[in-house]
Amino acid sequence: MKKAAPWLMLALALVLAAAALRLQGRLWICSCGYVALWCGDINSSGNSQHLFDPYTFTHVIHGFVFLGFVYLLGPRLTSSWKIALALALEALWEVIENSSYVIERYRAQTISLGYTGDTIVNTLGDLIACAVGAVVARWLGVTKTLLLTVAIEVLLLIAVRDNLLLNIIMLFFPSDAIRQWQSQP
């Protein structure tokens, strides 16, 4: 039972997150009625509605960050607890990210004018990405994980003119110059 404890806690966190997201009005799947594996157009109505999208890669970085945070706060925890807690933090972030306040903030301050929040299936994709990030970070170590973070951020910047850093900047310190640059074709 002791070995199962972190995974039971994580399962409870995931169930609670799904329930909270549903109570916030998030749909299980895209209102289009189907689930696609990938939606690559961040300006389409399918963005954040299907399993994976370009923002999935920012959730890989969440896995790096949340695992690092857990390592700092609980260095003596077992690996199972560290990964389970990192994923529980991601589940909590998903609930916060999909709150009415944050959704309205994204719509008002970023290029995500039509953003309505993630579907629960997209949240599942984000959690999978976070898990991949946590496992990869454990395997790569700090230096290589930091280099991979920079590579992901640069690739997203080139591919979709957005990334985790710009999301954070625009959420907390909106910039008209960044918004205009992101809006260019």
Side-chain angles (χ1 to χ4, degrees):
M1 182 64 173
K2 191 173 183 177
K3 287 187 177 192
W7 308 116
L8 291 172
M9 180 279 307
L10 177 59
L12 177 62
L14 295 178
V15 167
L16 291 173
L21 290 166
R22 191 66 191 116
L23 287 171
Q24 289 176 338
R26 303 290 71 81
L27 299 174
W28 288 103
I29 66 169
C30 178
S31 62
C32 64
Y34 64 90
V35 176
L37 187 61
W38 174 259
C39 177
D41 184 357
I42 66 165
N43 296 311
S44 75
S45 60
N47 186 55
S48 296
Q49 303 302 296
H50 297 285
L51 192 59
F52 301 114
D53 57 46
Y55 292 106
T56 299
F57 296 101
T58 66
H59 295 276
V60 171
I61 297 171
H62 288 184
F64 302 162
V65 171
F66 290 148
L67 185 66
F69 184 68
V70 171
Y71 263 89
L72 288 174
L73 291 180
R76 295 181 185 208
L77 292 171
T78 65
S79 294
S80 297
W81 272 110
K82 288 174 183 167
I83 290 179
L85 287 170
L87 292 174
L89 287 171
E90 175 69 8
L92 175 62
W93 166 247
E94 288 296 324
V95 172
I96 293 167
E97 178 187 36
N98 284 285
S99 67
S100 296
Y101 175 79
V102 174
I103 289 171
E104 288 306 317
R105 184 92 176 143
Y106 273 129
R107 291 175 68 141
Q109 303 301 337
T110 71
I111 58 169
S112 303
L113 299 176
Y115 181 63
T116 58
D118 299 354
T119 59
I120 295 171
V121 77
N122 180 258
T123 295
L124 173 63
D126 293 345
L127 285 159
I128 291 168
C130 181
V132 167
V135 170
V136 167
R138 282 206 61 222
W139 181 63
L140 288 180
V142 174
T143 303
K144 290 178 183 172
T145 299
L146 288 172
L147 291 172
L148 182 55
T149 300
V150 170
I152 291 169
E153 288 286 90
V154 168
L155 287 172
L156 284 172
L157 196 63
I158 293 166
V160 296
R161 290 184 181 244
D162 205 4
N163 59 23
L164 184 58
L165 180 60
L166 286 181
N167 257 273
I168 293 167
I169 290 169
M170 293 302 287
L171 193 59
F172 295 104
F173 311 103
S175 163
D176 286 333
I178 292 173
R179 188 179 309 109
Q180 288 173 2
W181 175 77
Q182 288 179 318
S183 299
Q184 294 173 1

